[in-house]
Amino acid sequence: MKTDNRQKLLLVLTIVAATLLVGDKLVYSPLVRLWQSRQQEIRKLRLQVKEGSALVRREQVVRGRWDEMRTNTLPNNPSQAQEKVLKAFEDWARESGVTLNGITPQWKSDTDEYQTLVCRVNAMGTLWMLSRFIFDIEKGPLGLKLESVEINSTDNTGQQLALGLQVSGLVLASQQP
């Protein structure tokens, strides 16, 4: 080959290589990244549509559960709510056989949409009595949530136990008193 032809060939190959490199960096790679990000977004949107469709299919169940939860909230009147909770604790204590040492109610109002009645309950009894008391609170008709549970022994044998509970109940502002 002549030197002149070789230089032309090398020049053409260099231009082709440079064009391919620039095309890869400026066109192909950005398009691949864009395509992959769009595929990921499509997967995410399909998952959201699937979850939304499942929620629409379960609408009656969700609405029924929400209505049940709303009916189990405390009355909108603070004195009625407090009275109802105190009576419920006395009933559960009588049924389980525990001795109530004290109930300290406290109202918390973080928003205009709801209030929370937080009660500190102290009780004494055997392990069986205390577990029955806690079970009654959890399964009772009032929508109460056990925030914390503390159990301590009050004698050397561990037969008598002291229970400290923090329980909260919800009052929705939208409910009629």
Side-chain angles (χ1 to χ4, degrees), residues 3 7 18 29 46 65 70-71 77 85 101 105-106 109 112 117 150 153-156 164:
T3 309
Q7 287 178 348
S29 294
R46 282 187 178 152
R65 179 72 177 128
R70 284 187 48 203
T71 59
N77 184 326
V85 170
N101 294 336
Q106 181 180 2
S109 180
D112 293 335
L117 175 62
E150 302 165 8
S153 176
T154 59
D155 63 357
N156 291 337

mmCIF file of all heavy atoms in Angstrom, residues 3 7 18 29 46 65 70-71 77 85 101 105-106 109 112 117 150 153-156 164:
data_model
loop_
_atom_site.group_PDB
_atom_site.id
_atom_site.type_symbol
_atom_site.label_atom_id
_atom_site.label_comp_id
_atom_site.label_asym_id
_atom_site.label_seq_id
_atom_site.Cartn_x
_atom_site.Cartn_y
_atom_site.Cartn_z
ATOM 1 N N THR A 3 1.739 5.040 0.996
ATOM 2 C CA THR A 3 1.656 5.803 2.230
ATOM 3 C C THR A 3 0.453 6.728 2.210
ATOM 4 O O THR A 3 -0.208 6.927 3.221
ATOM 5 C CB THR A 3 2.938 6.623 2.416
ATOM 6 O OG1 THR A 3 4.053 5.775 2.260
ATOM 7 C CG2 THR A 3 2.992 7.265 3.768
ATOM 8 N N GLN A 7 -2.594 6.563 4.925
ATOM 9 C CA GLN A 7 -2.970 7.717 5.742
ATOM 10 C C GLN A 7 -4.459 8.022 5.599
ATOM 11 O O GLN A 7 -5.124 8.337 6.590
ATOM 12 C CB GLN A 7 -2.151 8.939 5.341
ATOM 13 C CG GLN A 7 -0.715 8.872 5.797
ATOM 14 C CD GLN A 7 0.090 10.077 5.331
ATOM 15 O OE1 GLN A 7 -0.365 10.854 4.488
ATOM 16 N NE2 GLN A 7 1.289 10.205 5.856
ATOM 17 N N ALA A 18 -13.961 7.892 16.231
ATOM 18 C CA ALA A 18 -14.334 9.079 17.009
ATOM 19 C C ALA A 18 -15.837 9.317 16.932
ATOM 20 O O ALA A 18 -16.478 9.665 17.931
ATOM 21 C CB ALA A 18 -13.571 10.288 16.505
ATOM 22 N N SER A 29 -25.758 6.062 25.077
ATOM 23 C CA SER A 29 -25.787 5.886 26.541
ATOM 24 C C SER A 29 -26.901 6.694 27.202
ATOM 25 O O SER A 29 -27.636 6.161 28.045
ATOM 26 C CB SER A 29 -24.434 6.252 27.152
ATOM 27 O OG SER A 29 -23.452 5.338 26.727
ATOM 28 N N ARG A 46 -47.310 0.569 37.334
ATOM 29 C CA ARG A 46 -48.122 -0.656 37.234
ATOM 30 C C ARG A 46 -48.397 -1.240 38.613
ATOM 31 O O ARG A 46 -49.511 -1.710 38.878
ATOM 32 C CB ARG A 46 -47.428 -1.681 36.341
ATOM 33 C CG ARG A 46 -47.578 -1.377 34.889
ATOM 34 C CD ARG A 46 -47.038 -2.481 34.016
ATOM 35 N NE ARG A 46 -47.263 -2.149 32.622
ATOM 36 C CZ ARG A 46 -46.517 -2.562 31.635
ATOM 37 N NH1 ARG A 46 -45.476 -3.337 31.870
ATOM 38 N NH2 ARG A 46 -46.799 -2.209 30.397
ATOM 39 N N ARG A 65 -64.760 -1.855 57.904
ATOM 40 C CA ARG A 65 -63.797 -1.811 59.015
ATOM 41 C C ARG A 65 -63.687 -0.392 59.567
ATOM 42 O O ARG A 65 -63.627 -0.202 60.788
ATOM 43 C CB ARG A 65 -62.435 -2.314 58.527
ATOM 44 C CG ARG A 65 -61.361 -2.303 59.559
ATOM 45 C CD ARG A 65 -61.561 -3.377 60.604
ATOM 46 N NE ARG A 65 -60.448 -3.339 61.528
ATOM 47 C CZ ARG A 65 -60.581 -3.277 62.845
ATOM 48 N NH1 ARG A 65 -61.776 -3.309 63.381
ATOM 49 N NH2 ARG A 65 -59.532 -3.209 63.613
ATOM 50 N N ARG A 70 -64.977 3.594 63.723
ATOM 51 C CA ARG A 70 -65.616 4.861 64.116
ATOM 52 C C ARG A 70 -66.652 4.648 65.198
ATOM 53 O O ARG A 70 -66.801 5.476 66.097
ATOM 54 C CB ARG A 70 -66.246 5.533 62.908
ATOM 55 C CG ARG A 70 -65.214 6.185 62.011
ATOM 56 C CD ARG A 70 -65.815 6.984 60.906
ATOM 57 N NE ARG A 70 -66.863 7.869 61.401
ATOM 58 C CZ ARG A 70 -67.826 8.340 60.648
ATOM 59 N NH1 ARG A 70 -67.895 8.033 59.387
ATOM 60 N NH2 ARG A 70 -68.737 9.129 61.145
ATOM 61 N N THR A 71 -67.401 3.553 65.131
ATOM 62 C CA THR A 71 -68.408 3.297 66.165
ATOM 63 C C THR A 71 -67.754 2.912 67.487
ATOM 64 O O THR A 71 -68.380 3.062 68.537
ATOM 65 C CB THR A 71 -69.385 2.181 65.740
ATOM 66 O OG1 THR A 71 -68.652 0.990 65.483
ATOM 67 C CG2 THR A 71 -70.173 2.576 64.510
ATOM 68 N N ASN A 77 -68.100 13.956 73.714
ATOM 69 C CA ASN A 77 -68.201 14.698 74.961
ATOM 70 C C ASN A 77 -67.126 14.169 75.927
ATOM 71 O O ASN A 77 -67.148 12.996 76.284
ATOM 72 C CB ASN A 77 -69.596 14.503 75.550
ATOM 73 C CG ASN A 77 -69.817 15.314 76.795
ATOM 74 O OD1 ASN A 77 -68.910 15.537 77.589
ATOM 75 N ND2 ASN A 77 -71.053 15.743 76.971
ATOM 76 N N VAL A 85 -64.946 5.088 79.804
ATOM 77 C CA VAL A 85 -63.682 4.357 79.951
ATOM 78 C C VAL A 85 -63.514 3.882 81.384
ATOM 79 O O VAL A 85 -63.132 2.724 81.633
ATOM 80 C CB VAL A 85 -62.501 5.239 79.501
ATOM 81 C CG1 VAL A 85 -61.177 4.609 79.878
ATOM 82 C CG2 VAL A 85 -62.556 5.468 78.000
ATOM 83 N N ASN A 101 -55.802 -0.018 91.520
ATOM 84 C CA ASN A 101 -55.198 0.896 92.487
ATOM 85 C C ASN A 101 -55.344 2.344 92.059
ATOM 86 O O ASN A 101 -55.224 3.234 92.885
ATOM 87 C CB ASN A 101 -53.722 0.575 92.689
ATOM 88 C CG ASN A 101 -53.540 -0.779 93.337
ATOM 89 O OD1 ASN A 101 -54.426 -1.271 94.016
ATOM 90 N ND2 ASN A 101 -52.392 -1.381 93.112
ATOM 91 N N PRO A 105 -56.678 9.645 84.078
ATOM 92 C CA PRO A 105 -56.958 10.044 82.688
ATOM 93 C C PRO A 105 -56.328 11.399 82.367
ATOM 94 O O PRO A 105 -56.195 12.260 83.235
ATOM 95 C CB PRO A 105 -58.480 10.132 82.645
ATOM 96 C CG PRO A 105 -58.892 10.385 84.047
ATOM 97 C CD PRO A 105 -57.833 9.819 84.946
ATOM 98 N N GLN A 106 -55.938 11.556 81.114
ATOM 99 C CA GLN A 106 -55.355 12.821 80.649
ATOM 100 C C GLN A 106 -55.750 13.007 79.184
ATOM 101 O O GLN A 106 -55.606 12.094 78.369
ATOM 102 C CB GLN A 106 -53.833 12.781 80.789
ATOM 103 C CG GLN A 106 -53.149 14.040 80.352
ATOM 104 C CD GLN A 106 -51.628 13.928 80.508
ATOM 105 O OE1 GLN A 106 -51.096 12.911 80.901
ATOM 106 N NE2 GLN A 106 -50.947 14.991 80.160
ATOM 107 N N SER A 109 -54.779 16.875 72.812
ATOM 108 C CA SER A 109 -55.422 17.383 71.609
ATOM 109 C C SER A 109 -54.346 17.966 70.701
ATOM 110 O O SER A 109 -53.954 19.114 70.862
ATOM 111 C CB SER A 109 -56.453 18.445 71.982
ATOM 112 O OG SER A 109 -57.065 18.928 70.814
ATOM 113 N N ASP A 112 -57.340 19.534 65.380
ATOM 114 C CA ASP A 112 -58.768 19.799 65.525
ATOM 115 C C ASP A 112 -59.610 18.603 65.103
ATOM 116 O O ASP A 112 -60.800 18.553 65.393
ATOM 117 C CB ASP A 112 -59.164 21.009 64.670
ATOM 118 C CG ASP A 112 -58.541 22.292 65.188
ATOM 119 O OD1 ASP A 112 -58.219 22.348 66.396
ATOM 120 O OD2 ASP A 112 -58.361 23.227 64.391
ATOM 121 N N LEU A 117 -57.662 10.338 74.639
ATOM 122 C CA LEU A 117 -57.752 10.175 76.085
ATOM 123 C C LEU A 117 -56.711 9.131 76.474
ATOM 124 O O LEU A 117 -56.807 7.971 76.076
ATOM 125 C CB LEU A 117 -59.147 9.715 76.509
ATOM 126 C CG LEU A 117 -59.331 9.396 77.994
ATOM 127 C CD1 LEU A 117 -59.071 10.638 78.851
ATOM 128 C CD2 LEU A 117 -60.711 8.841 78.257
ATOM 129 N N GLU A 150 -46.393 -2.647 81.979
ATOM 130 C CA GLU A 150 -45.321 -2.926 82.934
ATOM 131 C C GLU A 150 -45.860 -3.898 83.971
ATOM 132 O O GLU A 150 -46.924 -3.675 84.538
ATOM 133 C CB GLU A 150 -44.876 -1.643 83.643
ATOM 134 C CG GLU A 150 -44.399 -0.556 82.725
ATOM 135 C CD GLU A 150 -44.313 0.790 83.433
ATOM 136 O OE1 GLU A 150 -44.478 0.845 84.675
ATOM 137 O OE2 GLU A 150 -44.089 1.785 82.744
ATOM 138 N N SER A 153 -43.254 -7.762 90.276
ATOM 139 C CA SER A 153 -43.631 -8.624 91.382
ATOM 140 C C SER A 153 -43.712 -7.792 92.657
ATOM 141 O O SER A 153 -42.863 -6.942 92.915
ATOM 142 C CB SER A 153 -42.598 -9.736 91.547
ATOM 143 O OG SER A 153 -42.915 -10.517 92.676
ATOM 144 N N THR A 154 -44.742 -8.045 93.470
ATOM 145 C CA THR A 154 -44.880 -7.308 94.729
ATOM 146 C C THR A 154 -44.559 -8.172 95.937
ATOM 147 O O THR A 154 -44.568 -7.676 97.056
ATOM 148 C CB THR A 154 -46.304 -6.743 94.875
ATOM 149 O OG1 THR A 154 -47.239 -7.822 94.844
ATOM 150 C CG2 THR A 154 -46.599 -5.743 93.771
ATOM 151 N N ASP A 155 -44.302 -9.465 95.743
ATOM 152 C CA ASP A 155 -43.903 -10.335 96.844
ATOM 153 C C ASP A 155 -42.698 -11.174 96.411
ATOM 154 O O ASP A 155 -42.310 -11.179 95.248
ATOM 155 C CB ASP A 155 -45.068 -11.220 97.309
ATOM 156 C CG ASP A 155 -45.557 -12.177 96.226
ATOM 157 O OD1 ASP A 155 -45.036 -12.118 95.102
ATOM 158 O OD2 ASP A 155 -46.458 -12.978 96.513
ATOM 159 N N ASN A 156 -42.107 -11.884 97.366
ATOM 160 C CA ASN A 156 -40.895 -12.668 97.086
ATOM 161 C C ASN A 156 -41.165 -13.880 96.209
ATOM 162 O O ASN A 156 -40.270 -14.365 95.521
ATOM 163 C CB ASN A 156 -40.234 -13.110 98.395
ATOM 164 C CG ASN A 156 -39.640 -11.932 99.144
ATOM 165 O OD1 ASN A 156 -39.346 -10.906 98.539
ATOM 166 N ND2 ASN A 156 -39.487 -12.069 100.454
ATOM 167 N N GLY A 164 -48.873 -1.943 85.433
ATOM 168 C CA GLY A 164 -48.982 -0.544 85.037
ATOM 169 C C GLY A 164 -49.242 -0.484 83.545
ATOM 170 O O GLY A 164 -48.470 -1.021 82.759
#
